[in-house]
């Protein structure tokens, strides 16, 4: 199914991870030593589990970057670094996922350093992203501009509510790649699953392009692929 330049791949819920992986492989196939942005959260777990099941390894020379991280001076458990250690251990994917350090003394300098590392390798070839309950992409919260850059950002109540429930109080700020870095990717792969995402996915794909729903900016991306399960797609009429 395509809507303008949006290719939508619909998956049965139990096939979501497998189909997300097949789609990612196809997208990566167009690049030598691809530079890849990778998400965390509940949604991509199925993708990473499919990678583990199939013993998938990224193409040789792939450079992997997280798209965001919490600012967390003291706690490592629950950070995106801990997430990738668990779901994408280096031994199985053949490349380490680079992240800004959650405990950096100066998160502003840290996110600048991190973004410079992405820019040094030419920016993302493929940016894999999820969609937050409030329409955020990475930690580009509502109100983020389409040309916003990498930065430290205050997390909304909605995003803080998505954090591991044992993390109390949840972190107040995060470091994120900007909408600019995501929009500059050659290919964007948006993943969404579950009925809770149906309304926001519909707003993102078919609603007005607005900074109230940063994921709606992706409608303007020339090469957007959406892999969503039937539950998340239930509200979307393309
Ligand atoms: P989730 O988060 O997969 O945990 O719903 C998505 C996101 O915030 O990008």
């Amino acid at each position: 199914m395509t809507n303008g330049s949006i290719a939508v791949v619909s998956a049965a819920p139990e096939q979501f991870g497998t189909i997300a992986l097949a789609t990612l492989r196809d997208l990566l196939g167009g690049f030598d030593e691809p530079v890849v942005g990778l998400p965390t959260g509940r949604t991509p777990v199925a993708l990473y589990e499919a990678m583990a099941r199939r013993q998938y390894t990224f193409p040789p020379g792939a450079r992997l970057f997280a798209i965001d991280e919490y600012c967390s001076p003291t706690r490592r458990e629950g950070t995106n670094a801990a997430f990738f250690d668990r779901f994408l251990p280096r031994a199985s994917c053949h490349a380490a996922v680079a992240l800004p350090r959650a405990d950096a003394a100066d998160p502003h300098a840290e996110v600048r350093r991190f973004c410079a590392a992405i820019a040094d390798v030419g920016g993302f070839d493929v940016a894999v992203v999820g969609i937050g309950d409030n329409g955020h992409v990475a930690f580009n919260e509502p109100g983020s501009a389409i040309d916003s850059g990498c930065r430290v950002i205050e997390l909304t109540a909605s995003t803080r509510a998505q954090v591991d429930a044992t993390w109390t109080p949840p972190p107040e700020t995060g470091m994120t790649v900007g909408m600019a870095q995501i929009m500059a990717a050659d290919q964007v792969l948006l993943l969404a699953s579950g009925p809770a995402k149906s309304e926001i996915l519909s707003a993102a794909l078919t609603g007005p392009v607005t900074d109230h729903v940063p994921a709606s900016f992706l409608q303007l991306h020339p090469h957007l692929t959406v892999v969503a399960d039937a539950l998340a797609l239930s509200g979307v009429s393309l």
Side-chain angles (χ1 to χ4, degrees):
M1 176 165 38
T2 58
N3 171 39
S5 56
I6 308 179
V8 179
V9 182
S10 171
E14 64 280 8
Q15 292 287 314
F16 176 69
T18 308
I19 290 178
L21 176 56
T23 306
L24 178 60
R25 288 179 88 136
D26 282 353
L27 294 176
L28 292 176
F31 301 95
D32 284 333
E33 304 188 346
V35 179
V36 189
L38 292 172
T40 57
R42 296 157 296 184
T43 310
V45 167
L47 166 66
Y48 301 137
E49 286 179 345
M51 288 181 178
R53 267 197 318 277
R54 297 184 174 232
Q55 299 182 312
Y56 171 79
T57 54
F58 283 88
R63 270 78 47 99
L64 310 180
F65 293 91
I67 55 174
D68 54 22
E69 177 58 293
Y70 298 102
C71 294
S72 174
T74 53
R75 179 182 155 125
R76 193 167 188 286
E77 188 194 342
T79 61
N80 292 344
F83 176 98
F84 283 119
D85 284 349
R86 176 169 173 203
F87 291 106
L88 274 188
R90 179 166 195 164
S92 67
C93 73
H94 286 195
V97 181
L99 299 104
R101 287 185 57 107
D103 63 353
D106 180 348
H108 298 275
E110 179 65 3
V111 76
R112 276 198 301 276
R113 180 200 64 74
F114 178 68
C115 231
I118 296 171
D120 279 351
V121 290
F124 295 135
D125 294 313
V126 179
V128 185
V129 299
I131 179 169
D133 295 340
N134 63 0
H136 72 206
V137 178
F139 281 152
N140 292 283
E141 299 281 33
S144 296
I146 192 168
D147 60 355
S148 56
C150 297
R151 65 207 186 282
V152 175
I153 189 160
E154 199 173 312
L155 302 176
T156 60
S158 160
T159 299
R160 297 180 80 215
Q162 283 180 241
V163 173
D164 169 1
T166 66
W167 194 343
T168 48
E172 290 177 2
T173 51
M175 294 169 278
T176 189
V177 301
M179 282 312 305
Q181 282 70 33
I182 294 166
M183 295 301 290
D186 288 289
Q187 298 280 345
V188 175
L189 172 58
L190 170 62
L191 305 177
S193 62
K197 293 292 167 67
S198 81
E199 211 172 302
I200 194 67
L201 186 64
S202 167
L205 299 183
T206 64
V209 174
T210 165
D211 67 5
H212 297 304
V213 181
S216 68
F217 291 135
L218 299 177
Q219 291 179 37
L220 304 178
H221 193 279
H223 301 290
L224 171 64
T225 303
V226 180
V227 174
D229 71 6
L231 301 166
L233 279 174
S234 61
V236 180
S237 44
L238 291 170

